[in-house]
Amino acid sequence: MPRSLASRLLANLSAVLLAIPVSGQSPQPSPAPGAGQSAVQAKQEVPVLRVTARLVQVSVVVQDKKGEPVADLTREDFTLSDKGQAQNISLFSIESTHAMPGPPQPAPLNVFTNRFEQKGGTPTSVTVILLDALNTRFEDLANARARVIKFLGQLQPQDRVALYTLTNNLRVLHDFTSDARSLLRALGLSQGYVSPQLSASEPEPVTPTGDAGLDALQGLFNDRVAANFIANRVRLTAAALEAIANHLGRLPGRKNLVWVSGSFPIAIGLDAPSSATAGPPEHRVFSEEVERAARALNNANLAVYPVDARGLIVPNIGPATPPAFSPSHRGQRLGPPPSMQSLYPPRENIDTMIVLADRTGGRAFYNTNDIQGSIRRAIDDSRITYVLGYYPTHGQWNGKFREIKVEVKRAGLHLRYRRGYFALPELPLDPKQRQVYLRETLEGPLDASGLGLNIRVEPIDVPGARSLKTDVQIDSRDISLLPEGERWVGALDLLFVQRGPDNKDLAGESRTFDMRLRQENYERIRKDGLVLTRTIPLAAGATQLRVVVRDANSGAIGSLTIPLTGVLPKGS
């Protein structure tokens, strides 16, 4: 976002109440978003505002001895514990690879949504292939692309695959489809990328000057320069993972991220356990960006399948070093473990692959040229999945890793699921930090789905200007409230930004909608929903409106991109 716009947005950080009473009634004279969809709404649960609670969902793959999915288990067949404490399974569902039926009728004119359940043909299981050019040498990524092309040539009708790429930003080459030709065409149109940040992450060698002190100073400077490039790669990579997780969070069923990369710069949970304790390390050492990515992966229940783009590595002579953390990795390592001397980048990247896969329910694939087979295994894991949801009773949101254990009563079955989560606290954010979250979501190429949004837009004429009336309907089931005396308390941060055809920001404004609801208003919103209305002066040349909404209590975020070319009259 340009600094001028960012400055203007930051100037609006004071909590400004939107010009609408907390009544939950549809604004007049325009109908509320979703009008005309009563047939859809009648089939949905009655919306209930929820008090802030931590729902942990675990996607479980169950296979028999032959590796075939098991599809006939019930809730009573499962037991689940959180760090040894038995938990009540509050939610249970069985998901398979098929498309959800479309809505019985199209959305009303000029109504836009980020709610997958309101879109026809939404898949119940998806796989994103992320080609990581930022952290991969050009020749390794070229080889990986060739193997991805081979995989796409064998795509099956039930597969739903998306192609993303990461350079200095995250790009969507193609969103979810089972059309192999369309995916191949999109991949063919993408350009190769040589990552200057990857090469700059290796410190430059010191040129001897004959002065030991000067040489040491030069080495320290080179190390710091390289460290800055590494930190920037971590920041960009973490932001990409967060954006993907936020985008997929609302989708039902199993969600897979196949991360094809030559190095994995994010270290998650790799600090060694103390000598006095046994088992995996508990504490995490995160930067703020990595912590946010971990939180998003937790919330989205997204399984990560790291795939080493370097393929088969011919080991040098030397002893192999076992992973720092590998409690259970059946089927994850293909071929012999790579030796310390053969790795570029260092051993820690392999450890990161293993930990990231294990803690999200995926698999790590390295030291193999069968990249296409690795992708196929990730997709096949989604054929039948069991989704278990529970509300943790521990009350200890202290940042520590909490191990999840799932078991079934039937013998001889193999389970794969995420082995735990970081119990990250929801820390209160000041207005500046909250605004940063909104802006970073705004800059991403994907709409976030953590908050369900329906937005109706209508161009209107006001004296001396053209304006756009926006009715923002927020799914009341996604709004989190905290009890405070006789009121229900919460807040929603909103950001509106208009962009031109060159994707440059032309105008923007931010607002905070504070809620201190009496019981009667709570009941009214639960019954009628929450609609916020804002009239926005249109900037000259605006072709796109992006809206971002964030729940201050839970941190859930939703965004929506609205093309104005089909909304505004021709010639506007």
Side-chain angles (χ1 to χ4, degrees), residues 177-451:
T177 184
S178 58
D179 186 345
R181 289 180 298 179
S182 182
L183 290 166
L184 288 168
R185 189 181 313 114
L187 185 58
L189 292 175
S190 65
Q191 301 295 319
Y193 180 81
V194 177
S195 176
Q197 299 202 51
L198 181 61
S199 57
S201 297
E202 289 293 317
E204 292 285 339
V206 174
T207 303
T209 63
D211 186 321
L214 188 59
D215 290 350
L217 185 61
Q218 182 184 353
L220 179 62
F221 174 78
N222 291 348
D223 288 343
R224 288 184 175 178
V225 170
N228 285 336
F229 279 102
I230 293 173
N232 195 48
R233 286 169 48 215
V234 169
R235 180 183 63 82
L236 292 172
T237 304
L241 293 179
E242 182 184 11
I244 294 171
N246 286 340
H247 179 59
L248 300 181
R250 200 177 187 87
L251 274 172
R254 188 171 176 85
K255 292 150 284 193
N256 302 325
L257 173 61
V258 179
W259 180 7
V260 183
S261 179
S263 63
F264 299 84
I266 295 178
I268 296 183
L270 291 179
D271 51 324
S274 66
S275 57
T277 61
E282 271 193 339
H283 297 273
R284 87 283 185 271
V285 181
F286 283 169
S287 67
E288 179 183 349
E289 294 84 3
V290 176
E291 181 170 302
R292 285 173 49 185
R295 189 193 308 275
L297 292 172
N298 276 354
N299 294 339
N301 197 21
L302 177 63
V304 182
Y305 290 75
V307 177
D308 193 337
R310 293 170 295 161
L312 182 64
I313 300 173
V314 179
N316 295 330
I317 298 175
T321 304
F325 172 52
S326 55
S328 174
H329 302 289
R330 175 178 142 179
Q332 293 184 5
R333 181 184 299 132
L334 303 181
S339 69
M340 190 72 141
Q341 292 86 345
S342 69
L343 292 175
Y344 176 82
R347 169 76 218 182
E348 286 78 7
N349 287 284
I350 301 299
D351 294 335
T352 296
M353 293 174 64
I354 294 172
V355 172
L356 189 58
D358 191 82
R359 293 190 173 179
T360 61
R363 304 187 195 184
F365 297 99
Y366 55 87
N367 207 12
T368 174
N369 286 329
D370 188 20
I371 292 177
Q372 64 271 26
S374 303
I375 301 172
R376 171 46 58 193
R377 288 181 178 88
I379 293 179
D380 285 348
D381 277 352
S382 303
R383 290 165 59 189
I384 299 289
T385 59
Y386 297 86
V387 180
L388 315 180
Y390 71 99
Y391 294 94
T393 57
H394 55 77
Q396 300 176 6
W397 300 93
N398 52 13
K400 292 185 178 181
F401 183 79
R402 299 190 64 89
E403 184 180 5
I404 295 173
K405 187 174 183 180
V406 179
E407 295 180 302
V408 291
K409 298 177 181 178
R410 191 180 304 177
L413 302 182
H414 173 65
L415 279 62
R416 183 178 303 107
Y417 56 92
R418 62 168 167 151
R419 298 292 172 173
Y421 63 99
F422 288 103
L424 299 170
E426 295 288 357
L427 300 177
L429 303 178
D430 61 36
K432 183 177 179 180
Q433 291 172 315
R434 287 159 62 173
Q435 199 70 18
V436 167
Y437 272 76
L438 294 176
R439 292 201 313 271
E440 291 185 351
T441 301
L442 173 78
E443 295 302 326
L446 298 167
D447 284 332
S449 64
L451 282 181

Side-chain angles (χ1 to χ4, degrees), residues 12 55 115 153 192 553 564 567:
N12 291 327
L55 173 66
R115 297 171 63 175
N553 279 339
L564 298 179
V567 172

Side-chain angles (χ1 to χ4, degrees), residues 57 70 287 324 358 374 482 559:
Q57 294 190 67
V70 177
S287 67
D358 191 82
S374 303
L482 292 173
S559 63

Side-chain angles (χ1 to χ4, degrees), residues 36 38 43 138 148 162 176 207 216 316 319 347 405 496 508 532 534:
S38 57
K43 295 182 180 180
F138 179 84
V148 170
F176 303 111
T207 303
N316 295 330
R347 169 76 218 182
K405 187 174 183 180
F496 300 85
L532 308 178
R534 188 70 188 164

Side-chain angles (χ1 to χ4, degrees), residues 83-100:
K83 205 171 182 179
Q85 300 176 4
Q87 302 292 316
N88 178 53
I89 300 175
S90 302
L91 301 176
F92 178 85
S93 64
I94 305 175
E95 307 287 355
S96 59
T97 52
H98 65 275
M100 295 171 62

Side-chain angles (χ1 to χ4, degrees), residues 421-538:
Y421 63 99
F422 288 103
L424 299 170
E426 295 288 357
L427 300 177
L429 303 178
D430 61 36
K432 183 177 179 180
Q433 291 172 315
R434 287 159 62 173
Q435 199 70 18
V436 167
Y437 272 76
L438 294 176
R439 292 201 313 271
E440 291 185 351
T441 301
L442 173 78
E443 295 302 326
L446 298 167
D447 284 332
S449 64
L451 282 181
L453 304 177
N454 288 341
I455 301 180
R456 183 182 187 275
V457 294
E458 178 186 1
I460 59 175
D461 286 312
V462 296
R466 290 296 309 275
S467 298
L468 190 71
K469 182 182 178 185
T470 62
D471 297 335
V472 182
Q473 184 188 56
I474 303 165
D475 190 339
S476 58
R477 291 168 294 184
D478 295 337
I479 300 173
S480 296
L481 297 173
L482 292 173
E484 188 176 294
E486 296 181 354
R487 294 179 181 266
W488 298 97
V489 178
L492 296 169
D493 299 320
L494 293 92
L495 176 64
F496 300 85
V497 171
Q498 300 175 59
R499 287 180 167 171
D502 54 1
N503 214 35
K504 288 185 178 180
D505 297 335
L506 302 177
E509 61 177 78
S510 62
R511 293 288 185 269
T512 294
F513 179 60
D514 289 316
M515 292 178 288
R516 297 184 59 82
L517 304 178
R518 295 184 183 276
Q519 187 65 30
E520 60 268 23
N521 287 334
Y522 173 94
E523 296 293 343
R524 190 178 298 131
I525 290 177
R526 184 178 68 174
K527 176 182 176 182
D528 300 330
L530 178 63
V531 179
L532 308 178
T533 295
R534 188 70 188 164
T535 299
I536 303 171
L538 281 171

Side-chain angles (χ1 to χ4, degrees), residues 131-147:
L131 295 171
D132 184 356
L134 175 68
N135 300 300
T136 309
R137 291 182 294 179
F138 179 84
E139 57 271 25
D140 291 332
L141 193 62
N143 174 65
R145 281 171 60 102
R147 297 183 184 279

